[in-house]
């Protein structure tokens, strides 16, 4: 069944009014008809089974058949702190890590990122939020991941209580991500810090360590940053059985 995230204001007194862009998708792309059912989520915790009553390319309306808490969210929260890179790579990371279950994305500017000013990326946020929304709908998540404002690395590296903070470090020789995770009971939150092409500088690594980030390796092979993001997220999810 098709899933759609809508603003809570679109769901009132058992009636659902779909925005025009979603209406066009329903009528022209998905070719749904009156009487078909879809799932609507309000992104604040509720999921609705909705029967379509009016279907046109500009207007789709429906009625709520049932309501229940939105599920299908990981029991563990992963914040991916990812250094900015080429648009295609960054958007691919947003999409695939949403599918895997990341709860928060925090774009970072480090010494070696291609972009060096926060203002250079703010214009991309509408597009990035759309990517997150569509990925969450496609994989039937209960919530859309949060996209945090861009930050310089030095401002993002702060100790956080009840959180395992992890630095993916290609120069780490001793501790693997899997071995580190086995030292902990299931936490509430994990932060994964992933560097840009060229990695972090020595000063940045020391800054992360001083903020209680634990340095780990993903193995003997040097991974591209987008591969590292996927691999690390998968390892964390798998460690606590969230990938089934």
């Amino acid at each position: 069944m098709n899933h759609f995230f809508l603003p809570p204001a679109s769901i009132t007194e058992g009636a659902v009014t779909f925005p025009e862009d979603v209406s066009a998708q329903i009528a022209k792309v998905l070719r749904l008809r009156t009487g078909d059912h879809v799932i609507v989520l309000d992104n604040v915790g509720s999921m609705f089974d909705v029967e379509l009553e009016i279907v046109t390319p500009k207007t789709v309306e429906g009625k709520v058949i049932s309501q229940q808490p939105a599920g299908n969210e990981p029991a563990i929260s992963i914040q991916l702190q990812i250094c900015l890179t080429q648009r295609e790579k960054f958007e691919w990371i947003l999409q695939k890590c949403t599918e895997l279950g990341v709860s928060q994305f925090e774009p970072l500017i480090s010494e070696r990122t291609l972009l060096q000013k926060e203002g250079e990326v703010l214009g991309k946020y509408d597009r990035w939020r759309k990517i997150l929304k569509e990925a969450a709908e496609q994989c039937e998540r209960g919530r859309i991941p949060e996209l945090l404002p861009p930050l310089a690395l030095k401002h993002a590296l702060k100790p956080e209580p009840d959180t395992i903070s992890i630095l993916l470090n290609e120069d780490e020789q001793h501790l693997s991500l899997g071995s580190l995770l086995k030292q902990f009971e299931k936490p509430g939150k994990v932060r994964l810090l992933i560097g840009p092409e060229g990695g972090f500088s020595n000063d940045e690594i020391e800054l992360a360590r001083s903020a209680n980030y634990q340095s780990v390796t993903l193995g003997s092979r040097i991974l591209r940053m987008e591969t590292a993001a996927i691999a690390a997220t998968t390892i964390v999810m798998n460690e606590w059985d969230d990938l089934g």
Side-chain angles (χ1 to χ4, degrees), residues 161-175:
D162 303 318
T163 299
I164 303 175
S165 298
I166 300 170
L167 164 67
L168 301 182
N169 181 6
E170 63 187 45
D171 294 324
E172 176 63 45
Q173 299 295 318
H174 305 291
L175 183 62

Side-chain angles (χ1 to χ4, degrees), residues 175-192:
L175 183 62
S176 71
L177 175 57
S179 296
L180 172 67
L181 298 178
K182 292 182 187 303
Q183 299 176 17
F184 295 91
E185 296 294 329
K186 189 173 186 178
K189 183 175 181 180
V190 172
R191 290 193 294 184
L192 295 172

Side-chain angles (χ1 to χ4, degrees), residues 39-235:
I39 297 296
V40 170
L41 301 106
D42 61 7
N43 204 36
V44 292
S46 293
M47 179 173 72
F48 305 85
D49 177 7
V50 176
E51 180 181 340
L52 302 182
E53 295 185 306
I54 299 173
V55 180
T56 75
K58 290 189 175 182
T59 302
V60 172
E61 296 179 3
K63 64 179 179 181
V64 173
I65 302 301
S66 64
Q67 176 182 352
Q68 64 186 68
N72 210 19
E73 280 298 290
I76 183 171
S77 173
I78 295 181
Q79 180 187 40
L80 197 63
Q81 295 181 300
I82 183 81
C83 288
L84 289 162
T85 184
Q86 297 172 355
R87 180 180 65 83
E88 293 84 0
K89 286 184 180 182
F90 195 82
E91 292 178 357
W92 191 85
I93 291 168
L94 293 177
Q95 182 187 66
K96 300 308 175 186
C97 289
T98 293
E99 293 175 17
L100 286 168
V102 167
S103 300
Q104 263 185 354
F105 294 90
E106 185 170 39
L108 300 181
I109 298 170
S110 68
E111 290 182 20
R112 296 170 182 165
T113 51
L114 298 176
L115 299 174
Q116 288 293 314
K117 295 180 179 179
E118 297 170 11
E120 293 181 285
V121 298
L122 290 175
K124 306 177 189 292
Y125 264 54
D126 284 345
R127 175 180 171 85
W128 289 352
R129 289 191 180 99
K130 183 178 179 182
I131 289 170
L132 296 176
K133 175 177 177 289
E134 290 176 351
E137 290 175 343
Q138 182 275 323
C139 68
E140 299 185 1
R141 286 190 58 172
R143 289 180 183 266
I144 303 170
E146 184 180 6
L147 181 61
L148 299 176
L151 274 181
L153 181 67
K154 63 182 179 181
H155 298 310
L157 300 181
K158 297 178 180 179
E160 189 168 314
D162 303 318
T163 299
I164 303 175
S165 298
I166 300 170
L167 164 67
L168 301 182
N169 181 6
E170 63 187 45
D171 294 324
E172 176 63 45
Q173 299 295 318
H174 305 291
L175 183 62
S176 71
L177 175 57
S179 296
L180 172 67
L181 298 178
K182 292 182 187 303
Q183 299 176 17
F184 295 91
E185 296 294 329
K186 189 173 186 178
K189 183 175 181 180
V190 172
R191 290 193 294 184
L192 295 172
L193 175 60
I194 299 174
E197 292 85 351
F200 292 115
S201 69
N202 290 334
D203 287 344
E204 289 173 329
I205 290 172
E206 290 308 311
L207 183 64
R209 284 175 166 153
S210 69
N212 296 333
Y213 281 74
Q214 302 195 59
S215 175
V216 302
T217 176
L218 289 175
S220 59
R221 289 169 294 281
I222 304 300
L223 304 182
R224 294 178 182 270
M225 64 178 300
E226 63 270 29
T227 310
I230 292 287
T233 300
T234 302
I235 290 169

Side-chain angles (χ1 to χ4, degrees), residues 16-27:
V16 179
T17 302
F18 292 78
E20 188 171 334
D21 60 330
V22 181
S23 296
Q25 180 187 5
I26 288 172

